[in-house]
Amino acid sequence: MVDVEFRDLLLFGAFKAAAFWAIKFLHNSYRWRIPEKWEPAGRVSKLVFFPVKSCGGVSADKLVATQLGLHPPDNDAVMDRHWLIVSPDGSFTTQRRENSLSLIRVRYTSEHLILSAPNMKDLHIPLKVDSGNDIIHTRIWEMAIDGIDCGQDAAEWISKYLDKPGFRIIHFESLPPRCLNSEPSLQQITRETDKSAYNDLSPYMLTVQESLDDLNARLKRKVKIDQFRANIVMSGAKAPFDEDNWAFVKIGDTVFHRIKPCTRCIMTTIDQETGVRDAGSEPLNTLKSYRCREPWGKSPIFGTLMGIDSCGSIQVGDQVFVSR
C-alpha cells in the first residue's frame, strides 16, 4: 500500500513538473513571438559601435547586426565591445574608474585595430590574435568570461596611458559568449539565445533623441547623446520616453526584442570629448529626480537594452517600427 501511494505521489509530482514547464514554454513562445503588426516610431539618426569597451566609439552610416553585436559591413572581425581592458587583478576596467578611457579613439584597417590617445603613439593591435597567447579569465559583473591576451605591446601601451602598471587588453575571439539566461537574476527577462561578449548586459542599446531633448530641457547645461553610449539613436518619436513601452523593434529586416530599460550610472556624467566628470553629477542627478522606476531601484532609466531575433543590416535613415 505504501509503495502504491509513493508511486502515485511520484507520478503526481512528475505530472505537475511537466505541466509547469509546458505552461512556461507556451507562455514564453507567445511572449517572444515576433509580432505581425508594427507601427512606425521614427528613423535611425545615428549608428555607433564601440570595439573596445569604454573607449571611443566609431560612427557609421551602415552596420551589420549579429547575435553578438554590430560590425561594419567591410570587416566582420571588428565587433562591438569585443576588446576589453583588464586591471592587474583581472577585473574589467571602464570609465567608471578610469575617466580618461573616453579619450582613446579607435579606428581599424583590414588587419589591425588602432588605438590613439593624447601624448601616445598609436597602438596597432592585430585583429587575429596569436593563438598561443594567454587566456585571461575575468568577469563582467556576476558573469565569468574569458579573453585572449593582446600581447605585451598592448599591455605596456594601456598601462603607460593610465599611468598604472599591470593593465592588459584582451580580445573576445572564437570564445564562448556569456549566456545571459544562465544568470538567475536575468532568467525572467532573457532568452536562451540572448548572448553577449563584453557588454554590460545585452549587445544592443537604443536611445531616443526626444528623450534626450526632454532631459536637456531640465538641465542647466545640455548634454550630448554620446554620454549614453548607445549603438542606435532614433529620432522622430511621438513622445519622450515612448521607448519604455516597446516590446519589439524592427529596422529593415532586423528585429530586436526589448530585454529591459537601461539603468544609468556615473558614466553618464563623463564628457566623452574631455574625459571630465561633471562636478554636479549631471545629468545623473536630474535623471534620478524623475526617471527611477520599479523594479530597477534607485538607478534611473534611459534607453532600452535589446536582444536580437532576426539579424541583418541597418543604416542611418532607416525607418524604425515597433510593437508594444
mmCIF file with all atom_site columns, all heavy atoms in Angstrom, residues 82-84 113 123-127 129-130 133-134 136 147-155 168-172:
data_model
loop_
_atom_site.group_PDB
_atom_site.id
_atom_site.type_symbol
_atom_site.label_atom_id
_atom_site.label_alt_id
_atom_site.label_comp_id
_atom_site.label_asym_id
_atom_site.label_entity_id
_atom_site.label_seq_id
_atom_site.pdbx_PDB_ins_code
_atom_site.Cartn_x
_atom_site.Cartn_y
_atom_site.Cartn_z
_atom_site.occupancy
_atom_site.B_iso_or_equiv
_atom_site.pdbx_formal_charge
_atom_site.auth_seq_id
_atom_site.auth_comp_id
_atom_site.auth_asym_id
_atom_site.auth_atom_id
_atom_site.pdbx_PDB_model_num
ATOM 1   N N   . HIS A 1 82  ? 34.253 43.919 -28.297 1.00 0.00 ? 82  HIS A N   1
ATOM 2   C CA  . HIS A 1 82  ? 34.936 42.627 -28.328 1.00 0.00 ? 82  HIS A CA  1
ATOM 3   C C   . HIS A 1 82  ? 36.371 42.729 -27.833 1.00 0.00 ? 82  HIS A C   1
ATOM 4   O O   . HIS A 1 82  ? 37.109 41.736 -27.864 1.00 0.00 ? 82  HIS A O   1
ATOM 5   C CB  . HIS A 1 82  ? 34.907 42.036 -29.739 1.00 0.00 ? 82  HIS A CB  1
ATOM 6   C CG  . HIS A 1 82  ? 33.703 41.174 -29.981 1.00 0.00 ? 82  HIS A CG  1
ATOM 7   N ND1 . HIS A 1 82  ? 32.424 41.558 -29.621 1.00 0.00 ? 82  HIS A ND1 1
ATOM 8   C CD2 . HIS A 1 82  ? 33.580 39.934 -30.536 1.00 0.00 ? 82  HIS A CD2 1
ATOM 9   C CE1 . HIS A 1 82  ? 31.566 40.600 -29.957 1.00 0.00 ? 82  HIS A CE1 1
ATOM 10  N NE2 . HIS A 1 82  ? 32.240 39.607 -30.500 1.00 0.00 ? 82  HIS A NE2 1
ATOM 11  N N   . TRP A 1 83  ? 36.804 43.919 -27.396 1.00 0.00 ? 83  TRP A N   1
ATOM 12  C CA  . TRP A 1 83  ? 38.083 44.109 -26.731 1.00 0.00 ? 83  TRP A CA  1
ATOM 13  C C   . TRP A 1 83  ? 37.794 44.704 -25.356 1.00 0.00 ? 83  TRP A C   1
ATOM 14  O O   . TRP A 1 83  ? 36.846 45.480 -25.178 1.00 0.00 ? 83  TRP A O   1
ATOM 15  C CB  . TRP A 1 83  ? 39.008 45.030 -27.512 1.00 0.00 ? 83  TRP A CB  1
ATOM 16  C CG  . TRP A 1 83  ? 39.662 44.397 -28.694 1.00 0.00 ? 83  TRP A CG  1
ATOM 17  C CD1 . TRP A 1 83  ? 40.917 43.853 -28.771 1.00 0.00 ? 83  TRP A CD1 1
ATOM 18  C CD2 . TRP A 1 83  ? 39.101 44.229 -30.016 1.00 0.00 ? 83  TRP A CD2 1
ATOM 19  N NE1 . TRP A 1 83  ? 41.174 43.373 -30.032 1.00 0.00 ? 83  TRP A NE1 1
ATOM 20  C CE2 . TRP A 1 83  ? 40.064 43.597 -30.827 1.00 0.00 ? 83  TRP A CE2 1
ATOM 21  C CE3 . TRP A 1 83  ? 37.865 44.566 -30.601 1.00 0.00 ? 83  TRP A CE3 1
ATOM 22  C CZ2 . TRP A 1 83  ? 39.849 43.284 -32.154 1.00 0.00 ? 83  TRP A CZ2 1
ATOM 23  C CZ3 . TRP A 1 83  ? 37.644 44.249 -31.928 1.00 0.00 ? 83  TRP A CZ3 1
ATOM 24  C CH2 . TRP A 1 83  ? 38.626 43.616 -32.699 1.00 0.00 ? 83  TRP A CH2 1
ATOM 25  N N   . LEU A 1 84  ? 38.614 44.354 -24.393 1.00 0.00 ? 84  LEU A N   1
ATOM 26  C CA  . LEU A 1 84  ? 38.365 44.748 -23.012 1.00 0.00 ? 84  LEU A CA  1
ATOM 27  C C   . LEU A 1 84  ? 39.679 45.059 -22.315 1.00 0.00 ? 84  LEU A C   1
ATOM 28  O O   . LEU A 1 84  ? 40.677 44.355 -22.509 1.00 0.00 ? 84  LEU A O   1
ATOM 29  C CB  . LEU A 1 84  ? 37.646 43.605 -22.281 1.00 0.00 ? 84  LEU A CB  1
ATOM 30  C CG  . LEU A 1 84  ? 37.299 43.818 -20.808 1.00 0.00 ? 84  LEU A CG  1
ATOM 31  C CD1 . LEU A 1 84  ? 36.194 44.863 -20.670 1.00 0.00 ? 84  LEU A CD1 1
ATOM 32  C CD2 . LEU A 1 84  ? 36.850 42.491 -20.175 1.00 0.00 ? 84  LEU A CD2 1
ATOM 33  N N   . LEU A 1 113 ? 43.349 46.785 -35.330 1.00 0.00 ? 113 LEU A N   1
ATOM 34  C CA  . LEU A 1 113 ? 42.596 47.766 -34.568 1.00 0.00 ? 113 LEU A CA  1
ATOM 35  C C   . LEU A 1 113 ? 43.614 48.796 -34.096 1.00 0.00 ? 113 LEU A C   1
ATOM 36  O O   . LEU A 1 113 ? 44.661 48.430 -33.548 1.00 0.00 ? 113 LEU A O   1
ATOM 37  C CB  . LEU A 1 113 ? 41.917 47.093 -33.365 1.00 0.00 ? 113 LEU A CB  1
ATOM 38  C CG  . LEU A 1 113 ? 40.852 47.920 -32.645 1.00 0.00 ? 113 LEU A CG  1
ATOM 39  C CD1 . LEU A 1 113 ? 39.594 48.012 -33.512 1.00 0.00 ? 113 LEU A CD1 1
ATOM 40  C CD2 . LEU A 1 113 ? 40.518 47.293 -31.292 1.00 0.00 ? 113 LEU A CD2 1
ATOM 41  N N   . LEU A 1 123 ? 48.656 52.663 -31.144 1.00 0.00 ? 123 LEU A N   1
ATOM 42  C CA  . LEU A 1 123 ? 48.827 51.240 -30.886 1.00 0.00 ? 123 LEU A CA  1
ATOM 43  C C   . LEU A 1 123 ? 48.103 50.458 -31.975 1.00 0.00 ? 123 LEU A C   1
ATOM 44  O O   . LEU A 1 123 ? 46.914 50.678 -32.227 1.00 0.00 ? 123 LEU A O   1
ATOM 45  C CB  . LEU A 1 123 ? 48.241 50.872 -29.514 1.00 0.00 ? 123 LEU A CB  1
ATOM 46  C CG  . LEU A 1 123 ? 48.169 49.373 -29.195 1.00 0.00 ? 123 LEU A CG  1
ATOM 47  C CD1 . LEU A 1 123 ? 49.571 48.787 -29.054 1.00 0.00 ? 123 LEU A CD1 1
ATOM 48  C CD2 . LEU A 1 123 ? 47.346 49.143 -27.924 1.00 0.00 ? 123 LEU A CD2 1
ATOM 49  N N   . HIS A 1 124 ? 48.805 49.534 -32.607 1.00 0.00 ? 124 HIS A N   1
ATOM 50  C CA  . HIS A 1 124 ? 48.227 48.674 -33.633 1.00 0.00 ? 124 HIS A CA  1
ATOM 51  C C   . HIS A 1 124 ? 48.059 47.262 -33.059 1.00 0.00 ? 124 HIS A C   1
ATOM 52  O O   . HIS A 1 124 ? 49.053 46.589 -32.771 1.00 0.00 ? 124 HIS A O   1
ATOM 53  C CB  . HIS A 1 124 ? 49.114 48.631 -34.880 1.00 0.00 ? 124 HIS A CB  1
ATOM 54  C CG  . HIS A 1 124 ? 49.154 49.915 -35.642 1.00 0.00 ? 124 HIS A CG  1
ATOM 55  N ND1 . HIS A 1 124 ? 49.741 51.061 -35.144 1.00 0.00 ? 124 HIS A ND1 1
ATOM 56  C CD2 . HIS A 1 124 ? 48.666 50.243 -36.873 1.00 0.00 ? 124 HIS A CD2 1
ATOM 57  C CE1 . HIS A 1 124 ? 49.624 52.038 -36.035 1.00 0.00 ? 124 HIS A CE1 1
ATOM 58  N NE2 . HIS A 1 124 ? 48.978 51.570 -37.088 1.00 0.00 ? 124 HIS A NE2 1
ATOM 59  N N   . ILE A 1 125 ? 46.818 46.837 -32.886 1.00 0.00 ? 125 ILE A N   1
ATOM 60  C CA  . ILE A 1 125 ? 46.533 45.505 -32.357 1.00 0.00 ? 125 ILE A CA  1
ATOM 61  C C   . ILE A 1 125 ? 46.065 44.617 -33.511 1.00 0.00 ? 125 ILE A C   1
ATOM 62  O O   . ILE A 1 125 ? 45.082 44.940 -34.188 1.00 0.00 ? 125 ILE A O   1
ATOM 63  C CB  . ILE A 1 125 ? 45.427 45.553 -31.280 1.00 0.00 ? 125 ILE A CB  1
ATOM 64  C CG1 . ILE A 1 125 ? 45.831 46.477 -30.133 1.00 0.00 ? 125 ILE A CG1 1
ATOM 65  C CG2 . ILE A 1 125 ? 45.123 44.156 -30.762 1.00 0.00 ? 125 ILE A CG2 1
ATOM 66  C CD1 . ILE A 1 125 ? 44.749 46.655 -29.080 1.00 0.00 ? 125 ILE A CD1 1
ATOM 67  N N   . PRO A 1 126 ? 46.747 43.519 -33.778 1.00 0.00 ? 126 PRO A N   1
ATOM 68  C CA  . PRO A 1 126 ? 46.285 42.619 -34.854 1.00 0.00 ? 126 PRO A CA  1
ATOM 69  C C   . PRO A 1 126 ? 44.867 42.116 -34.581 1.00 0.00 ? 126 PRO A C   1
ATOM 70  O O   . PRO A 1 126 ? 44.523 41.770 -33.440 1.00 0.00 ? 126 PRO A O   1
ATOM 71  C CB  . PRO A 1 126 ? 47.293 41.472 -34.817 1.00 0.00 ? 126 PRO A CB  1
ATOM 72  C CG  . PRO A 1 126 ? 48.506 42.050 -34.152 1.00 0.00 ? 126 PRO A CG  1
ATOM 73  C CD  . PRO A 1 126 ? 47.986 43.040 -33.151 1.00 0.00 ? 126 PRO A CD  1
ATOM 74  N N   . LEU A 1 127 ? 44.044 42.119 -35.617 1.00 0.00 ? 127 LEU A N   1
ATOM 75  C CA  . LEU A 1 127 ? 42.683 41.617 -35.458 1.00 0.00 ? 127 LEU A CA  1
ATOM 76  C C   . LEU A 1 127 ? 42.672 40.120 -35.172 1.00 0.00 ? 127 LEU A C   1
ATOM 77  O O   . LEU A 1 127 ? 41.771 39.615 -34.494 1.00 0.00 ? 127 LEU A O   1
ATOM 78  C CB  . LEU A 1 127 ? 41.851 41.915 -36.706 1.00 0.00 ? 127 LEU A CB  1
ATOM 79  C CG  . LEU A 1 127 ? 41.611 43.402 -37.008 1.00 0.00 ? 127 LEU A CG  1
ATOM 80  C CD1 . LEU A 1 127 ? 40.784 43.566 -38.271 1.00 0.00 ? 127 LEU A CD1 1
ATOM 81  C CD2 . LEU A 1 127 ? 40.935 44.097 -35.840 1.00 0.00 ? 127 LEU A CD2 1
ATOM 82  N N   . VAL A 1 129 ? 44.494 37.546 -33.118 1.00 0.00 ? 129 VAL A N   1
ATOM 83  C CA  . VAL A 1 129 ? 45.440 37.422 -32.021 1.00 0.00 ? 129 VAL A CA  1
ATOM 84  C C   . VAL A 1 129 ? 46.192 36.099 -32.141 1.00 0.00 ? 129 VAL A C   1
ATOM 85  O O   . VAL A 1 129 ? 45.634 35.092 -32.584 1.00 0.00 ? 129 VAL A O   1
ATOM 86  C CB  . VAL A 1 129 ? 44.694 37.504 -30.671 1.00 0.00 ? 129 VAL A CB  1
ATOM 87  C CG1 . VAL A 1 129 ? 45.671 37.385 -29.505 1.00 0.00 ? 129 VAL A CG1 1
ATOM 88  C CG2 . VAL A 1 129 ? 43.926 38.813 -30.575 1.00 0.00 ? 129 VAL A CG2 1
ATOM 89  N N   . ASP A 1 130 ? 47.449 36.109 -31.741 1.00 0.00 ? 130 ASP A N   1
ATOM 90  C CA  . ASP A 1 130 ? 48.266 34.895 -31.746 1.00 0.00 ? 130 ASP A CA  1
ATOM 91  C C   . ASP A 1 130 ? 47.579 33.817 -30.910 1.00 0.00 ? 130 ASP A C   1
ATOM 92  O O   . ASP A 1 130 ? 47.262 34.029 -29.730 1.00 0.00 ? 130 ASP A O   1
ATOM 93  C CB  . ASP A 1 130 ? 49.648 35.206 -31.173 1.00 0.00 ? 130 ASP A CB  1
ATOM 94  C CG  . ASP A 1 130 ? 50.640 34.064 -31.357 1.00 0.00 ? 130 ASP A CG  1
ATOM 95  O OD1 . ASP A 1 130 ? 50.209 32.898 -31.345 1.00 0.00 ? 130 ASP A OD1 1
ATOM 96  O OD2 . ASP A 1 130 ? 51.845 34.347 -31.507 1.00 0.00 ? 130 ASP A OD2 1
ATOM 97  N N   . ASN A 1 133 ? 48.750 33.024 -27.363 1.00 0.00 ? 133 ASN A N   1
ATOM 98  C CA  . ASN A 1 133 ? 48.670 33.993 -26.268 1.00 0.00 ? 133 ASN A CA  1
ATOM 99  C C   . ASN A 1 133 ? 47.846 33.440 -25.101 1.00 0.00 ? 133 ASN A C   1
ATOM 100 O O   . ASN A 1 133 ? 46.977 32.584 -25.284 1.00 0.00 ? 133 ASN A O   1
ATOM 101 C CB  . ASN A 1 133 ? 48.047 35.298 -26.757 1.00 0.00 ? 133 ASN A CB  1
ATOM 102 C CG  . ASN A 1 133 ? 49.003 36.107 -27.613 1.00 0.00 ? 133 ASN A CG  1
ATOM 103 O OD1 . ASN A 1 133 ? 50.055 35.622 -28.002 1.00 0.00 ? 133 ASN A OD1 1
ATOM 104 N ND2 . ASN A 1 133 ? 48.627 37.337 -27.917 1.00 0.00 ? 133 ASN A ND2 1
ATOM 105 N N   . ASP A 1 134 ? 48.119 33.982 -23.923 1.00 0.00 ? 134 ASP A N   1
ATOM 106 C CA  . ASP A 1 134 ? 47.423 33.525 -22.719 1.00 0.00 ? 134 ASP A CA  1
ATOM 107 C C   . ASP A 1 134 ? 45.924 33.812 -22.788 1.00 0.00 ? 134 ASP A C   1
ATOM 108 O O   . ASP A 1 134 ? 45.497 34.820 -23.357 1.00 0.00 ? 134 ASP A O   1
ATOM 109 C CB  . ASP A 1 134 ? 47.992 34.222 -21.473 1.00 0.00 ? 134 ASP A CB  1
ATOM 110 C CG  . ASP A 1 134 ? 49.401 33.780 -21.149 1.00 0.00 ? 134 ASP A CG  1
ATOM 111 O OD1 . ASP A 1 134 ? 49.816 32.701 -21.628 1.00 0.00 ? 134 ASP A OD1 1
ATOM 112 O OD2 . ASP A 1 134 ? 50.093 34.524 -20.424 1.00 0.00 ? 134 ASP A OD2 1
ATOM 113 N N   . ILE A 1 136 ? 42.948 34.940 -20.511 1.00 0.00 ? 136 ILE A N   1
ATOM 114 C CA  . ILE A 1 136 ? 42.778 35.657 -19.248 1.00 0.00 ? 136 ILE A CA  1
ATOM 115 C C   . ILE A 1 136 ? 41.317 35.540 -18.815 1.00 0.00 ? 136 ILE A C   1
ATOM 116 O O   . ILE A 1 136 ? 40.399 35.770 -19.600 1.00 0.00 ? 136 ILE A O   1
ATOM 117 C CB  . ILE A 1 136 ? 43.188 37.135 -19.391 1.00 0.00 ? 136 ILE A CB  1
ATOM 118 C CG1 . ILE A 1 136 ? 44.710 37.217 -19.617 1.00 0.00 ? 136 ILE A CG1 1
ATOM 119 C CG2 . ILE A 1 136 ? 42.784 37.942 -18.151 1.00 0.00 ? 136 ILE A CG2 1
ATOM 120 C CD1 . ILE A 1 136 ? 45.243 38.622 -19.752 1.00 0.00 ? 136 ILE A CD1 1
ATOM 121 N N   . GLY A 1 147 ? 39.117 35.987 -22.240 1.00 0.00 ? 147 GLY A N   1
ATOM 122 C CA  . GLY A 1 147 ? 39.620 36.772 -23.347 1.00 0.00 ? 147 GLY A CA  1
ATOM 123 C C   . GLY A 1 147 ? 41.036 36.340 -23.682 1.00 0.00 ? 147 GLY A C   1
ATOM 124 O O   . GLY A 1 147 ? 41.772 35.837 -22.821 1.00 0.00 ? 147 GLY A O   1
ATOM 125 N N   . ILE A 1 148 ? 41.425 36.534 -24.932 1.00 0.00 ? 148 ILE A N   1
ATOM 126 C CA  . ILE A 1 148 ? 42.790 36.230 -25.359 1.00 0.00 ? 148 ILE A CA  1
ATOM 127 C C   . ILE A 1 148 ? 43.646 37.481 -25.197 1.00 0.00 ? 148 ILE A C   1
ATOM 128 O O   . ILE A 1 148 ? 43.291 38.562 -25.682 1.00 0.00 ? 148 ILE A O   1
ATOM 129 C CB  . ILE A 1 148 ? 42.810 35.758 -26.829 1.00 0.00 ? 148 ILE A CB  1
ATOM 130 C CG1 . ILE A 1 148 ? 41.909 34.540 -27.009 1.00 0.00 ? 148 ILE A CG1 1
ATOM 131 C CG2 . ILE A 1 148 ? 44.236 35.424 -27.261 1.00 0.00 ? 148 ILE A CG2 1
ATOM 132 C CD1 . ILE A 1 148 ? 41.779 34.095 -28.447 1.00 0.00 ? 148 ILE A CD1 1
ATOM 133 N N   . ASP A 1 149 ? 44.748 37.333 -24.500 1.00 0.00 ? 149 ASP A N   1
ATOM 134 C CA  . ASP A 1 149 ? 45.626 38.474 -24.261 1.00 0.00 ? 149 ASP A CA  1
ATOM 135 C C   . ASP A 1 149 ? 46.165 39.029 -25.584 1.00 0.00 ? 149 ASP A C   1
ATOM 136 O O   . ASP A 1 149 ? 46.565 38.273 -26.476 1.00 0.00 ? 149 ASP A O   1
ATOM 137 C CB  . ASP A 1 149 ? 46.785 38.041 -23.366 1.00 0.00 ? 149 ASP A CB  1
ATOM 138 C CG  . ASP A 1 149 ? 47.668 39.208 -22.986 1.00 0.00 ? 149 ASP A CG  1
ATOM 139 O OD1 . ASP A 1 149 ? 47.202 40.101 -22.268 1.00 0.00 ? 149 ASP A OD1 1
ATOM 140 O OD2 . ASP A 1 149 ? 48.831 39.229 -23.434 1.00 0.00 ? 149 ASP A OD2 1
ATOM 141 N N   . CYS A 1 150 ? 46.161 40.362 -25.701 1.00 0.00 ? 150 CYS A N   1
ATOM 142 C CA  . CYS A 1 150 ? 46.592 41.004 -26.948 1.00 0.00 ? 150 CYS A CA  1
ATOM 143 C C   . CYS A 1 150 ? 48.094 41.268 -26.997 1.00 0.00 ? 150 CYS A C   1
ATOM 144 O O   . CYS A 1 150 ? 48.577 41.913 -27.938 1.00 0.00 ? 150 CYS A O   1
ATOM 145 C CB  . CYS A 1 150 ? 45.824 42.305 -27.159 1.00 0.00 ? 150 CYS A CB  1
ATOM 146 S SG  . CYS A 1 150 ? 44.084 42.058 -27.573 1.00 0.00 ? 150 CYS A SG  1
ATOM 147 N N   . GLY A 1 151 ? 48.835 40.792 -26.019 1.00 0.00 ? 151 GLY A N   1
ATOM 148 C CA  . GLY A 1 151 ? 50.277 40.887 -26.086 1.00 0.00 ? 151 GLY A CA  1
ATOM 149 C C   . GLY A 1 151 ? 50.888 41.977 -25.228 1.00 0.00 ? 151 GLY A C   1
ATOM 150 O O   . GLY A 1 151 ? 50.199 42.848 -24.683 1.00 0.00 ? 151 GLY A O   1
ATOM 151 N N   . GLN A 1 152 ? 52.220 41.934 -25.132 1.00 0.00 ? 152 GLN A N   1
ATOM 152 C CA  . GLN A 1 152 ? 52.937 42.834 -24.242 1.00 0.00 ? 152 GLN A CA  1
ATOM 153 C C   . GLN A 1 152 ? 52.922 44.279 -24.736 1.00 0.00 ? 152 GLN A C   1
ATOM 154 O O   . GLN A 1 152 ? 52.871 45.205 -23.929 1.00 0.00 ? 152 GLN A O   1
ATOM 155 C CB  . GLN A 1 152 ? 54.374 42.349 -24.067 1.00 0.00 ? 152 GLN A CB  1
ATOM 156 C CG  . GLN A 1 152 ? 55.127 43.019 -22.938 1.00 0.00 ? 152 GLN A CG  1
ATOM 157 C CD  . GLN A 1 152 ? 54.476 42.822 -21.580 1.00 0.00 ? 152 GLN A CD  1
ATOM 158 O OE1 . GLN A 1 152 ? 53.789 41.822 -21.348 1.00 0.00 ? 152 GLN A OE1 1
ATOM 159 N NE2 . GLN A 1 152 ? 54.670 43.782 -20.686 1.00 0.00 ? 152 GLN A NE2 1
ATOM 160 N N   . ASP A 1 153 ? 52.982 44.485 -26.046 1.00 0.00 ? 153 ASP A N   1
ATOM 161 C CA  . ASP A 1 153 ? 52.951 45.860 -26.563 1.00 0.00 ? 153 ASP A CA  1
ATOM 162 C C   . ASP A 1 153 ? 51.654 46.558 -26.152 1.00 0.00 ? 153 ASP A C   1
ATOM 163 O O   . ASP A 1 153 ? 51.662 47.724 -25.729 1.00 0.00 ? 153 ASP A O   1
ATOM 164 C CB  . ASP A 1 153 ? 53.080 45.869 -28.084 1.00 0.00 ? 153 ASP A CB  1
ATOM 165 C CG  . ASP A 1 153 ? 54.490 45.517 -28.547 1.00 0.00 ? 153 ASP A CG  1
ATOM 166 O OD1 . ASP A 1 153 ? 55.414 45.527 -27.704 1.00 0.00 ? 153 ASP A OD1 1
ATOM 167 O OD2 . ASP A 1 153 ? 54.647 45.255 -29.747 1.00 0.00 ? 153 ASP A OD2 1
ATOM 168 N N   . ALA A 1 154 ? 50.539 45.853 -26.282 1.00 0.00 ? 154 ALA A N   1
ATOM 169 C CA  . ALA A 1 154 ? 49.248 46.423 -25.894 1.00 0.00 ? 154 ALA A CA  1
ATOM 170 C C   . ALA A 1 154 ? 49.193 46.673 -24.392 1.00 0.00 ? 154 ALA A C   1
ATOM 171 O O   . ALA A 1 154 ? 48.680 47.703 -23.934 1.00 0.00 ? 154 ALA A O   1
ATOM 172 C CB  . ALA A 1 154 ? 48.112 45.494 -26.322 1.00 0.00 ? 154 ALA A CB  1
ATOM 173 N N   . ALA A 1 155 ? 49.732 45.733 -23.613 1.00 0.00 ? 155 ALA A N   1
ATOM 174 C CA  . ALA A 1 155 ? 49.735 45.888 -22.154 1.00 0.00 ? 155 ALA A CA  1
ATOM 175 C C   . ALA A 1 155 ? 50.562 47.098 -21.732 1.00 0.00 ? 155 ALA A C   1
ATOM 176 O O   . ALA A 1 155 ? 50.145 47.892 -20.868 1.00 0.00 ? 155 ALA A O   1
ATOM 177 C CB  . ALA A 1 155 ? 50.275 44.617 -21.502 1.00 0.00 ? 155 ALA A CB  1
ATOM 178 N N   . ARG A 1 168 ? 46.103 45.176 -18.951 1.00 0.00 ? 168 ARG A N   1
ATOM 179 C CA  . ARG A 1 168 ? 46.237 44.445 -20.206 1.00 0.00 ? 168 ARG A CA  1
ATOM 180 C C   . ARG A 1 168 ? 44.977 44.656 -21.050 1.00 0.00 ? 168 ARG A C   1
ATOM 181 O O   . ARG A 1 168 ? 43.936 45.098 -20.538 1.00 0.00 ? 168 ARG A O   1
ATOM 182 C CB  . ARG A 1 168 ? 46.470 42.956 -19.964 1.00 0.00 ? 168 ARG A CB  1
ATOM 183 C CG  . ARG A 1 168 ? 47.663 42.661 -19.053 1.00 0.00 ? 168 ARG A CG  1
ATOM 184 C CD  . ARG A 1 168 ? 48.107 41.216 -19.129 1.00 0.00 ? 168 ARG A CD  1
ATOM 185 N NE  . ARG A 1 168 ? 48.847 40.936 -20.363 1.00 0.00 ? 168 ARG A NE  1
ATOM 186 C CZ  . ARG A 1 168 ? 50.148 41.151 -20.517 1.00 0.00 ? 168 ARG A CZ  1
ATOM 187 N NH1 . ARG A 1 168 ? 50.874 41.667 -19.532 1.00 0.00 ? 168 ARG A NH1 1
ATOM 188 N NH2 . ARG A 1 168 ? 50.751 40.849 -21.654 1.00 0.00 ? 168 ARG A NH2 1
ATOM 189 N N   . ILE A 1 169 ? 45.100 44.344 -22.336 1.00 0.00 ? 169 ILE A N   1
ATOM 190 C CA  . ILE A 1 169 ? 43.956 44.380 -23.243 1.00 0.00 ? 169 ILE A CA  1
ATOM 191 C C   . ILE A 1 169 ? 43.711 42.958 -23.719 1.00 0.00 ? 169 ILE A C   1
ATOM 192 O O   . ILE A 1 169 ? 44.656 42.253 -24.121 1.00 0.00 ? 169 ILE A O   1
ATOM 193 C CB  . ILE A 1 169 ? 44.213 45.308 -24.440 1.00 0.00 ? 169 ILE A CB  1
ATOM 194 C CG1 . ILE A 1 169 ? 44.489 46.738 -23.959 1.00 0.00 ? 169 ILE A CG1 1
ATOM 195 C CG2 . ILE A 1 169 ? 43.008 45.301 -25.391 1.00 0.00 ? 169 ILE A CG2 1
ATOM 196 C CD1 . ILE A 1 169 ? 44.864 47.703 -25.080 1.00 0.00 ? 169 ILE A CD1 1
ATOM 197 N N   . ILE A 1 170 ? 42.455 42.527 -23.648 1.00 0.00 ? 170 ILE A N   1
ATOM 198 C CA  . ILE A 1 170 ? 42.117 41.184 -24.104 1.00 0.00 ? 170 ILE A CA  1
ATOM 199 C C   . ILE A 1 170 ? 41.082 41.274 -25.221 1.00 0.00 ? 170 ILE A C   1
ATOM 200 O O   . ILE A 1 170 ? 40.392 42.279 -25.384 1.00 0.00 ? 170 ILE A O   1
ATOM 201 C CB  . ILE A 1 170 ? 41.602 40.293 -22.953 1.00 0.00 ? 170 ILE A CB  1
ATOM 202 C CG1 . ILE A 1 170 ? 40.307 40.862 -22.348 1.00 0.00 ? 170 ILE A CG1 1
ATOM 203 C CG2 . ILE A 1 170 ? 42.670 40.139 -21.892 1.00 0.00 ? 170 ILE A CG2 1
ATOM 204 C CD1 . ILE A 1 170 ? 39.695 39.953 -21.284 1.00 0.00 ? 170 ILE A CD1 1
ATOM 205 N N   . HIS A 1 171 ? 41.005 40.189 -25.991 1.00 0.00 ? 171 HIS A N   1
ATOM 206 C CA  . HIS A 1 171 ? 40.133 40.149 -27.161 1.00 0.00 ? 171 HIS A CA  1
ATOM 207 C C   . HIS A 1 171 ? 39.225 38.930 -27.075 1.00 0.00 ? 171 HIS A C   1
ATOM 208 O O   . HIS A 1 171 ? 39.684 37.818 -26.807 1.00 0.00 ? 171 HIS A O   1
ATOM 209 C CB  . HIS A 1 171 ? 40.987 40.076 -28.435 1.00 0.00 ? 171 HIS A CB  1
ATOM 210 C CG  . HIS A 1 171 ? 40.195 40.094 -29.705 1.00 0.00 ? 171 HIS A CG  1
ATOM 211 N ND1 . HIS A 1 171 ? 40.678 39.572 -30.889 1.00 0.00 ? 171 HIS A ND1 1
ATOM 212 C CD2 . HIS A 1 171 ? 38.953 40.553 -29.988 1.00 0.00 ? 171 HIS A CD2 1
ATOM 213 C CE1 . HIS A 1 171 ? 39.771 39.733 -31.849 1.00 0.00 ? 171 HIS A CE1 1
ATOM 214 N NE2 . HIS A 1 171 ? 38.722 40.314 -31.322 1.00 0.00 ? 171 HIS A NE2 1
ATOM 215 N N   . PHE A 1 172 ? 37.951 39.165 -27.330 1.00 0.00 ? 172 PHE A N   1
ATOM 216 C CA  . PHE A 1 172 ? 36.994 38.066 -27.403 1.00 0.00 ? 172 PHE A CA  1
ATOM 217 C C   . PHE A 1 172 ? 36.988 37.566 -28.843 1.00 0.00 ? 172 PHE A C   1
ATOM 218 O O   . PHE A 1 172 ? 36.453 38.197 -29.741 1.00 0.00 ? 172 PHE A O   1
ATOM 219 C CB  . PHE A 1 172 ? 35.599 38.558 -27.011 1.00 0.00 ? 172 PHE A CB  1
ATOM 220 C CG  . PHE A 1 172 ? 34.551 37.491 -27.073 1.00 0.00 ? 172 PHE A CG  1
ATOM 221 C CD1 . PHE A 1 172 ? 34.337 36.663 -25.991 1.00 0.00 ? 172 PHE A CD1 1
ATOM 222 C CD2 . PHE A 1 172 ? 33.792 37.309 -28.215 1.00 0.00 ? 172 PHE A CD2 1
ATOM 223 C CE1 . PHE A 1 172 ? 33.373 35.668 -26.045 1.00 0.00 ? 172 PHE A CE1 1
ATOM 224 C CE2 . PHE A 1 172 ? 32.827 36.313 -28.286 1.00 0.00 ? 172 PHE A CE2 1
ATOM 225 C CZ  . PHE A 1 172 ? 32.621 35.495 -27.195 1.00 0.00 ? 172 PHE A CZ  1
#
